[in-house]
Amino acid sequence: METVIGIDLGTTNSCVAVMENAAPVVIPNRGGYKTTPSMVAVTEAGKRLVGHIAKRQAITNAENTVYAAKRLIGRKWNSPQIKNALLTSSYHIAEGPHDDVRIVLRDKSYSVPEISSMILQEMKIIAEDYLGQPVTKAVVTVPAYFNDNQRQATKDAGTIAGLDVIRIINEPTAAALAYGLGKEIDRVIAVYDLGGGTFDISILELSTSGVFKVIATTGDTFLGGEDFDARIVDWLVHGFQQEHDIDLRQDRMALQRLRDAAEKAKCELSSVRETDINLPFIISTGRNEALHLQRTLTRETLEKLTQDLIERTIEICRDALGDARLEPKDLEDVILVGGMTRMPAIQKAVSEYFGRTPNKGVHPDEVVALGAAIQGHALVEDKNDMILLDVTPHALGIMTFGSHFEELIPQNTTVPTSRTKVFTTSRDNQTAVKILVMQGENDNAEKNELLGEFILTGLRRAPKGEVEIEVTFEINTDGIVSVFAKDLETGQAQSIQVTATSGLTQDEINNMIESAKDYLVERRTDEDFEAAKQEAESLIAEIERLFPEVEAVVGSSDFGQDALGKARTVLQHARAAIDAKGAAQIRQHVEGLARTQRMFKGVVSRAQ
Amino acid sequence: MTAEPYRGLIYERTAADVRGLALEPAEIFVLSLVDGALDVDAIASTTGLDGARAAACLARLAELGVIRVAPIRPRPTRPVPAAPTTAPGADRPTAHATSQVTKRSPPGNAALTAVPTGRPPAVTVVPFDATTKPAPSIAPNNTQIPLSSDRAPVPVVTSPPPLSGEIDTSLDIGVELQARILDLSAKLSDLDHFQVLGVPMGADRTQIKRAYFSMIGTFHPDTYFGKQLGNFTKRMERIFQRLTEAHDVLSNPKSREEYESYLRVLGRTRAMEELADQPPPSVEDMEQLLLAAEQAAARKAPTPEPVAPAAPPPRPAKAPPAMPRAPSLRPVVEMVDDPVARRQALARKFGKLPPAPKPVPVQQNVSELAARQSAAVKDLHQRYKHRQESIKTQRVERFARAAEEALASGNTVSALNTLRIARTLSGGDIGTVERLGELEQKLGATVADTYLERARYEETNGHYEQAARSYSHAARSRPDPDVLRSAAECYLKAGVELRLAGELARDAVQLAPNRADLRLSLAKIYEAAGMQQSALRELERALELTPESDRIKQWLKRLKRGGV
């Protein structure tokens, strides 16, 4: 049975987990950290950096470091969220083909799934290093409120990274899985998930029969920790503007520093009542003068700055309970997921609304990845003691005349689900019928998300009304929409042309897969080289350290001079190999170096 | 004689003539229920007699040669029907027409499949299934006296035997499971939510959840992740969807209540439709039952209980198939005539009394005798005629009253039936025609209301085609422009039967020609059908009626432009 890893692809941080002896466990990265920043950068030398190493250089390389790509994934260029991101991001966002979005780093254009694929690839490498074997299958999580475009784009990211994403699951559901595993309980719970970029609230029913059923879910895919940070940044920028009449936002590096400091301050204020924000040399005035930013932020101020955000999450909770036709008192537990839930004001608001202290037994940063690992394992193993019943978070429908949205599959319908509808021609000899498929809750179709224009083509010529095509709209367990069509008279499959969808074409994806593979090869080679180089260099250092001593002992004899000469040659060749960056060559010389070192040691110890 | 040995037995009618026999009312009642399918317990519970009494009656009837024990019939096995391409579980169209796309229904299809054993396949609600009228019942022996079943039995129709190619041994799921899936997915549209989950009607929330959770383990696609399922994937998904729908409706108290009352209404309307297809019951049978009921009432001097509750029990789940409900006519029917004479007539009928004594002829003067005789004969004749007439009127009146009571107690089906009899008996007498006409109107109103209730539930739950049909039925019993319009709009939403929708909308307009909104509905339908000119015409008339309407003006503009 193959190993399936579970990846929590977060806005700010990502986490990977795997099942080990019937329990899920988080895999730490090389540095020993259990989570990895969701950041990607390209250095001046054109090298790709992912994770902690990318974050460390974010300030100095602000323009070419991408963060919070999750806020952009699956969105159209013409959406309000992209417009917002344009104003606040330090990296360059550009328009792509068919209303798509591109990120430009060092004059090279990347699609958003491509950036996310780099993070996924990093998590894949972390898992492979730990497990000591290649990993190809994964379960990747998304916010429950992600729409079809966002889910598809995330799946594409996985494919590009060389992963077979066997399932996309919703983050709150994954958390509930990790929470309920092995518990043998019958319980209705709420999962309040406030992460770096998104907010989800899900109401689930757990049962001793091993079924996890989502009753209702809703959220906001543009509400998260980043917005809290943004408020602090605004406050800092505003204060500075008042004092010095300079807009710090204009300087990318300053902006990045502000963001960084804001995040740190926010986290600190969860445990202390006030904290200092200290940014010396934040910006230089035209007159060669450097300005400093120093301010104290209290918990109280932070709470005031972000009160409306917190209230909005509670509003959304109200909606969810309404959809579930339940009241807070009907719930038996509330679990908190996501780093932001560490904030005391949020915990207070949640306690007040739900009328109970939230369950703190789950690790807010890790529980989602754990749940993903559990689900991955459950899918491939033969035992069937666990079933996850999730729902689609948005209604699916089509646009009809007058911009009216006709709903086919309502919000919160358990998936997998499908609906069929028969279409026919309204004019004689009509050869194509166009269907606009949309997702959303608005009666006005234009306010909903267009998933695509599906054109039934090649219809046989006939008087109007005679050709009948049965179209099936299906939402699978990933929450992704498919459309099939069949000619009712002939029973043959009807061809559908899809246009006006955003997202990557298969060709584009294939190209990206190739470059990802290339990157992986390059990366492994680099690692290999680094390992060999380190080994060689430590031996070289040893030898050089012992050189004078050995020279003192044997330098007088011819034999000794000969030996030293040989040793110098070995060192020279080794260094040359290192400079040539040839890992294989270095290894060859390592043997020689090791022998030399042993010999030197021997000489020195005998001389004692 | 104890009832024990007879409990499981099933009786059927013989060809023997009942009328010459001296039977007690209870026995007549029991006799009327013998149809070759009910067993003693069922008869007992229907008649309200206790088991022993019922068994005793049956024994007596058997003794008299009127009934006999039915031969054991082999139980029909569960057929595994061929999977139709447009399977019953498949969802059906609903929607508005766009300007360039109009929808129509697929060739109609609800595959009625056999529901072999025990439980009657009661009513069903499935997303978008095209409901067809049930075929006439083919219950064995056809001795049903369909007096009062408000939940008429759903027909038992066998389906063709399965194609041997359906089961595929190369797949990763066992043959047993495949058979189960084929069976269940074919029956999906005939089962109601309770049946599909395998729970009784009274099941509480915990039972429902337990049933649901245990079933989805088998039918959720994740259980077979990575396995080869062939065409069973689709079927399983359909079953899963249906199970989830059933669970969601039944676990919420409000939606469950609405659903249960919908099932009741559905049963009533189905029974009415059934009735329309059947030949009317014989007058004798009706009479017998009426009399039996009356006599039973007369015996039970204190206030008799109404036999049928105001809301009839949800479904004959406890009763085996093809079972008509107990006559729920209120036993108190006042008689206009002399009770003694009536009893005597009755007794005479059943051969308990000797025939009425004829006037003894007196040996007298022949001509006087002859004159007196002829006068006597004439007088007798007159009285006889008079008597016949009054009997006839009384009879009609009795039936009319019975129908009224049935109506009042909510038993529309028996009311319908009784009224039918009354009509047949009345023979066009003006007084009765009026009386019956009144009654028919009242009945029509009740029928209409029942159908309306059904239509509203169906519409709210998106079963537009069914709703349209129900609205049409309602309009038939009581023409009303709004109801007609609702029917038309539902057909439009379902995207089927546009021509029919047009007719209904036109009828609505005819009934209330000054209502602009009705004309707008008609215009919508014309537009959907591609009949621009007619649509324009209706819009213009609507505008004349409501000249300030911006909406109509916009619409006209758009239509004239020819755009969407």
Side-chain angles (χ1 to χ4, degrees):
Chain A
M1 194 181 57
E2 222 185 309
T3 315
V4 181
I5 56 174
I7 304 180
D8 171 9
L9 183 62
T11 312
T12 321
N13 294 297
S14 297
C15 180
V16 61
V18 75
M19 284 295 269
E20 227 168 54
N21 303 326
V25 68
V26 172
I27 303 176
N29 63 18
R30 276 251 187 90
Y33 295 97
K34 294 220 174 137
T35 61
T36 304
S38 302
M39 291 179 99
V40 171
V42 180
T43 64
E44 207 167 323
K47 185 154 178 218
R48 185 202 295 185
L49 305 173
V50 182
H52 288 284
I53 189 171
K55 184 166 185 181
R56 260 174 254 142
Q57 52 91 74
I59 293 175
T60 48
N61 191 16
E63 252 184 60
N64 299 295
T65 306
V66 181
Y67 57 90
K70 193 168 170 182
R71 289 206 131 181
L72 311 175
I73 202 169
R75 294 201 195 269
K76 299 198 167 53
W77 172 253
N78 275 313
S79 62
Q81 295 87 358
I82 298 291
K83 303 264 186 277
N84 180 296
L86 280 171
L87 294 171
T88 55
S89 302
S90 61
Y91 51 91
H92 189 42
I93 302 175
E95 185 175 359
H98 39 85
D99 210 13
D100 213 352
V101 172
R102 294 283 182 268
I103 297 174
V104 184
L105 302 175
R106 306 249 172 229
D107 295 326
K108 189 158 181 264
S109 178
Y110 298 87
S111 72
V112 184
E114 212 175 348
I115 301 286
S116 295
S117 79
M118 297 175 187
I119 301 166
L120 285 174
Q121 198 169 35
E122 189 66 25
M123 306 316 284
K124 175 177 187 273
I125 293 171
I126 293 172
E128 286 177 341
D129 286 347
Y130 175 82
L131 295 168
Q133 68 190 56
V135 168
T136 52
K137 291 201 188 330
V139 167
V140 179
T141 64
V142 295
Y145 211 52
F146 255 20
N147 66 28
D148 185 79
N149 288 333
Q150 292 165 307
R151 284 164 200 267
Q152 190 59 61
T154 306
K155 207 155 182 194
D156 288 345
T159 312
I160 296 171
L163 286 169
D164 174 15
V165 180
I166 63 173
R167 180 61 54 88
I168 295 263
I169 69 169
N170 293 334
E171 282 151 21
T173 315
L177 251 184
Y179 159 86
L181 185 73
K183 270 204 176 84
E184 296 274 318
I185 43 169
D186 283 303
R187 200 173 282 194
V188 179
I189 66 169
V191 179
Y192 179 101
D193 181 353
L194 187 57
T198 57
F199 172 65
D200 279 325
I201 171 83
S202 288
I203 315 289
L204 290 104
E205 184 174 357
L206 280 56
S207 92
T208 47
S209 53
V211 176
F212 291 75
K213 184 174 195 299
V214 177
I215 302 172
T217 189
T218 187
D220 187 335
T221 56
F222 220 72
L223 171 59
E226 308 267 327
D227 301 289
F228 286 68
D229 296 346
R231 291 292 167 87
I232 300 174
V233 171
D234 287 346
W235 176 75
L236 291 170
V237 167
H238 182 74
F240 198 83
Q241 174 94 28
Q242 296 225 304
E243 212 186 307
H244 301 282
D245 201 26
I246 292 181
D247 180 9
L248 284 172
R249 285 192 203 281
Q250 300 306 319
D251 184 321
R252 278 183 211 261
M253 207 167 358
L255 189 57
Q256 193 62 24
R257 285 179 73 187
L258 285 169
R259 285 191 61 253
D260 214 41
E263 194 199 334
K264 260 196 214 95
K266 174 189 75 178
C267 292
E268 275 174 28
L269 286 172
S270 291
S271 37
V272 298
R273 292 229 163 245
E274 63 175 45
T275 182
D276 289 323
I277 299 177
N278 208 347
L279 298 168
F281 304 99
I282 183 78
I283 198 164
S284 55
T285 63
R287 290 156 283 149
N288 236 359
E289 205 192 316
L291 292 170
H292 314 296
L293 190 152
Q294 183 165 28
R295 251 179 121 173
T296 309
L297 179 62
T298 62
R299 190 187 283 179
E300 217 178 77
T301 312
L302 173 62
E303 287 175 4
K304 230 179 281 174
L305 288 172
T306 55
Q307 188 185 16
D308 64 312
L309 295 172
I310 301 177
E311 266 167 21
R312 170 129 176 82
T313 66
I314 301 298
E315 265 298 304
I316 297 176
C317 289
R318 240 183 283 271
D319 288 341
L321 281 178
D323 287 340
R325 294 194 260 208
L326 291 171
E327 315 219 334
K329 64 175 168 61
D330 297 321
L331 302 172
E332 286 147 299
D333 216 344
V334 179
I335 60 179
L336 297 176
V337 180
M340 269 314 298
T341 57
R342 288 197 175 89
M343 186 172 170
I346 289 191
Q347 292 187 355
K348 179 155 169 271
V350 170
S351 301
E352 261 172 28
Y353 175 69
F354 288 100
R356 61 173 65 244
T357 334
N359 183 312
K360 301 231 191 72
V362 299
H363 192 304
D365 302 321
E366 296 173 12
V367 69
V368 171
L370 294 172
I374 296 171
Q375 171 71 325
H377 183 76
L379 286 175
V380 296
E381 67 159 1
D382 254 342
K383 274 195 299 160
N384 296 312
D385 40 12
M386 190 196 88
I387 299 272
L388 214 57
L389 297 178
D390 220 323
V391 300
T392 179
H394 298 288
L396 180 75
I398 57 177
M399 172 139 87
T400 58
F401 73 95
S403 287
H404 179 74
F405 178 65
E406 182 196 319
E407 192 182 273
L408 293 172
I409 297 177
Q411 186 187 19
N412 287 321
T413 304
T414 305
V415 292
T417 185
S418 64
R419 278 281 283 271
T420 59
K421 191 169 157 53
V422 174
F423 292 83
T424 189
T425 49
S426 59
R427 281 190 281 278
D428 292 340
N429 295 327
Q430 188 174 345
T431 53
V433 166
K434 183 159 81 166
I435 309 169
L436 273 69
V437 180
M438 333 202 60
Q439 233 181 353
E441 281 66 65
N442 215 300
D443 278 332
N444 181 354
E446 277 161 30
K447 297 228 173 89
N448 291 328
E449 174 89 6
L450 176 69
L451 299 187
E453 279 181 7
F454 294 77
I455 304 178
L456 311 175
T457 57
L459 303 179
R460 55 197 164 79
R461 292 182 179 277
K464 70 176 180 200
E466 266 189 35
V467 180
E468 290 179 324
I469 310 288
E470 179 188 78
V471 180
T472 305
F473 300 87
E474 187 187 273
I475 304 183
N476 65 12
T477 20
D478 288 341
I480 291 180
V481 178
S482 313
V483 180
F484 314 97
K486 181 169 77 172
D487 185 329
L488 279 178
E489 169 126 359
T490 63
Q492 300 286 355
Q494 173 65 47
S495 67
I496 307 181
Q497 215 185 353
V498 184
T499 60
T501 42
S502 53
L504 305 165
T505 64
Q506 194 54 51
D507 281 339
E508 287 173 315
I509 293 179
N510 290 339
N511 287 340
M512 289 174 199
I513 293 177
E514 287 309 309
S515 3
K517 276 198 207 138
D518 290 342
Y519 169 77
L520 193 59
V521 167
E522 206 187 292
R523 170 78 178 260
R524 289 287 185 214
T525 325
D526 281 354
E527 284 173 359
D528 205 28
F529 166 72
E530 287 294 321
K533 178 173 153 200
Q534 260 189 29
E535 208 186 339
E537 283 188 341
S538 73
L539 284 170
I540 291 174
E542 256 295 284
I543 294 171
E544 290 190 337
R545 188 176 63 85
L546 293 169
F547 215 95
E549 269 188 68
V550 172
E551 205 171 6
V553 169
V554 304
S556 41
S557 67
D558 277 335
F559 167 74
Q561 278 298 328
D562 192 34
L564 288 170
K566 281 210 185 79
R568 273 192 212 101
T569 320
V570 169
L571 286 174
Q572 205 182 5
H573 285 169
R575 281 207 195 89
I578 289 173
D579 286 337
K581 295 198 191 271
Q585 296 155 287
I586 298 175
R587 276 191 217 289
Q588 282 174 343
H589 294 284
V590 159
E591 239 204 271
L593 286 170
R595 253 181 288 128
T596 314
Q597 186 236 22
R598 269 198 301 270
M599 184 179 66
F600 273 36
K601 271 184 104 162
V603 165
V604 167
S605 60
R606 260 177 276 134
Q608 309 294 5
Chain B
M1 184 178 338
T2 58
E4 266 29 65
Y6 293 88
R7 275 274 151 75
L9 282 182
I10 295 179
Y11 289 89
E12 59 183 11
R13 295 277 292 261
T14 61
D17 188 355
V18 174
R19 279 170 292 181
L21 297 171
L23 290 175
E24 303 227 21
E27 287 163 357
I28 300 173
F29 199 169
V30 166
L31 176 61
S32 73
L33 293 172
V34 170
D35 61 358
L38 289 182
D39 66 11
V40 182
D41 276 358
I43 292 180
S45 68
T46 309
T47 56
L49 300 168
D50 66 292
R53 184 86 200 282
C57 291
L58 286 168
R60 172 108 206 285
L61 291 168
E63 250 183 321
L64 289 171
V66 184
I67 63 176
R68 62 162 173 251
V69 176
I72 312 281
R73 247 173 273 273
R75 290 242 140 136
T77 49
R78 232 156 236 253
V80 180
T85 47
T86 45
D91 303 89
R92 283 281 162 260
T94 66
H96 292 293
T98 62
S99 64
Q100 52 163 250
V101 163
T102 47
K103 296 104 200 157
R104 293 220 309 188
S105 74
N109 124 103
L112 288 177
T113 55
V115 181
T117 55
R119 293 213 306 186
V123 295
T124 71
V125 182
V126 169
F128 320 102
D129 192 344
T131 355
T132 54
K133 266 178 67 170
S137 168
I138 51 170
N141 283 323
N142 204 16
T143 52
Q144 281 184 54
I145 298 173
L147 227 202
S148 61
S149 168
D150 264 7
R151 295 285 297 234
V154 174
V156 173
V157 175
T158 46
S159 63
L163 299 175
S164 58
E166 280 305 324
I167 307 268
D168 186 345
T169 46
S170 72
L171 298 177
D172 288 331
I173 47 173
V175 175
E176 253 181 51
L177 179 57
Q178 292 187 29
R180 185 170 169 206
I181 294 172
L182 285 171
D183 176 54
L184 191 50
S185 66
K187 284 201 288 200
L188 231 39
S189 45
D190 297 329
L191 301 174
D192 66 33
H193 289 344
F194 292 96
Q195 287 171 315
V196 94
L197 284 173
V199 295
M201 284 276 283
D204 67 15
R205 213 150 165 262
T206 325
Q207 284 171 282
I208 289 173
K209 283 200 185 285
R210 211 176 301 140
Y212 174 63
F213 287 150
S214 76
M215 281 188 84
I216 43 167
T218 316
F219 294 104
H220 193 267
D222 276 355
T223 312
Y224 310 99
F225 186 80
K227 301 217 166 76
Q228 279 291 80
L229 291 180
N231 4 354
F232 285 85
T233 324
K234 282 270 156 263
R235 291 193 187 107
M236 229 183 319
E237 273 183 19
R238 269 202 292 272
I239 295 175
F240 168 71
Q241 246 182 280
R242 182 68 208 285
L243 287 170
T244 307
E245 191 197 349
H247 163 268
D248 289 346
V249 167
L250 295 182
S251 29
N252 176 278
K254 181 157 175 278
S255 61
R256 178 175 175 168
E257 205 187 288
E258 286 172 9
Y259 181 71
E260 283 175 342
S261 86
Y262 171 72
L263 283 182
R264 286 192 286 271
V265 164
L266 195 62
R268 258 184 265 149
T269 56
R270 286 243 173 116
M272 287 187 232
E273 286 163 18
E274 261 263 300
L275 214 50
D277 294 330
Q278 285 176 351
S282 75
V283 181
E284 282 81 5
D285 290 334
M286 291 285 301
E287 280 256 2
Q288 281 183 8
L289 284 158
L290 241 189
L291 283 165
E294 286 166 5
Q295 293 209 308
R299 284 213 197 112
K300 289 198 259 166
T303 35
E305 290 269 51
V307 174
R315 89 176 172 200
K318 314 298 183 287
M323 184 206 75
R325 279 269 162 190
S328 51
L329 304 168
R330 289 268 194 81
V332 247
V333 176
E334 284 165 4
M335 286 315 297
V336 184
D337 204 8
D338 171 24
V340 176
R342 210 187 84 233
R343 283 226 186 84
Q344 286 184 326
L346 189 66
R348 229 169 284 136
K349 201 169 180 179
F350 292 130
K352 283 212 170 116
L353 280 181
K358 297 193 180 71
V360 178
V362 174
Q363 295 292 347
Q364 300 235 329
N365 182 5
V366 177
S367 65
E368 232 191 56
L369 202 66
R372 241 185 285 141
Q373 267 188 352
S374 77
V377 166
K378 258 206 216 131
D379 183 41
L380 210 62
H381 194 68
Q382 289 270 3
R383 264 200 265 151
Y384 177 76
K385 254 180 61 186
H386 192 68
R387 174 127 186 140
Q388 288 299 93
E389 301 255 331
S390 73
I391 286 181
K392 191 177 93 167
T393 329
Q394 279 162 28
R395 253 175 145 198
V396 172
E397 183 58 34
R398 266 168 65 205
F399 279 106
R401 294 249 174 117
E404 237 167 7
E405 259 131 34
L407 190 61
S409 63
N411 212 320
T412 24
V413 178
S414 81
L416 257 173
N417 239 341
T418 327
L419 196 55
R420 250 165 146 190
I421 307 290
R423 270 232 161 234
T424 348
L425 292 175
S426 80
D429 175 68
I430 295 186
T432 47
V433 162
E434 257 183 37
R435 174 97 170 84
L436 294 179
E438 251 179 50
L439 211 52
E440 262 172 5
Q441 253 201 353
K442 259 199 253 173
L443 192 57
T446 317
V447 171
D449 286 334
T450 315
Y451 271 107
L452 270 179
E453 197 182 324
R454 176 177 166 180
R456 284 194 193 113
Y457 183 91
E458 284 163 348
E459 190 178 6
T460 317
N461 286 277
H463 309 168
Y464 294 119
E465 196 175 343
Q466 289 169 294
R469 268 193 259 263
S470 301
Y471 276 125
S472 307
H473 270 285
R476 240 175 274 160
S477 302
R478 185 180 53 201
D480 176 306
D482 286 293
V483 174
L484 286 163
R485 188 256 299 270
S486 297
E489 295 249 0
C490 279
Y491 274 127
L492 184 61
K493 277 194 205 151
V496 303
E497 305 280 15
L498 269 188
R499 195 182 47 81
L500 199 52
E503 283 172 17
L504 289 161
R506 262 197 298 274
D507 290 342
V509 166
Q510 271 177 6
L511 282 177
N514 288 329
R515 282 212 13 213
D517 61 331
L518 298 177
R519 291 193 187 265
L520 289 182
S521 297
L522 184 53
K524 224 194 279 187
I525 295 171
Y526 280 142
E527 191 179 345
M531 299 164 66
Q532 311 282 56
Q533 291 309 317
S534 307
L536 278 169
R537 199 182 54 228
E538 290 305 323
L539 283 174
E540 266 148 21
R541 294 230 183 92
L543 192 57
E544 283 168 26
L545 291 165
T546 51
E548 351 63 50
S549 168
D550 275 325
R551 179 182 171 210
I552 305 181
K553 292 186 191 144
Q554 296 289 348
W555 197 337
L556 273 166
K557 240 190 257 174
R558 179 173 51 75
L559 252 191
K560 287 190 181 140
R561 229 190 306 135
V564 180

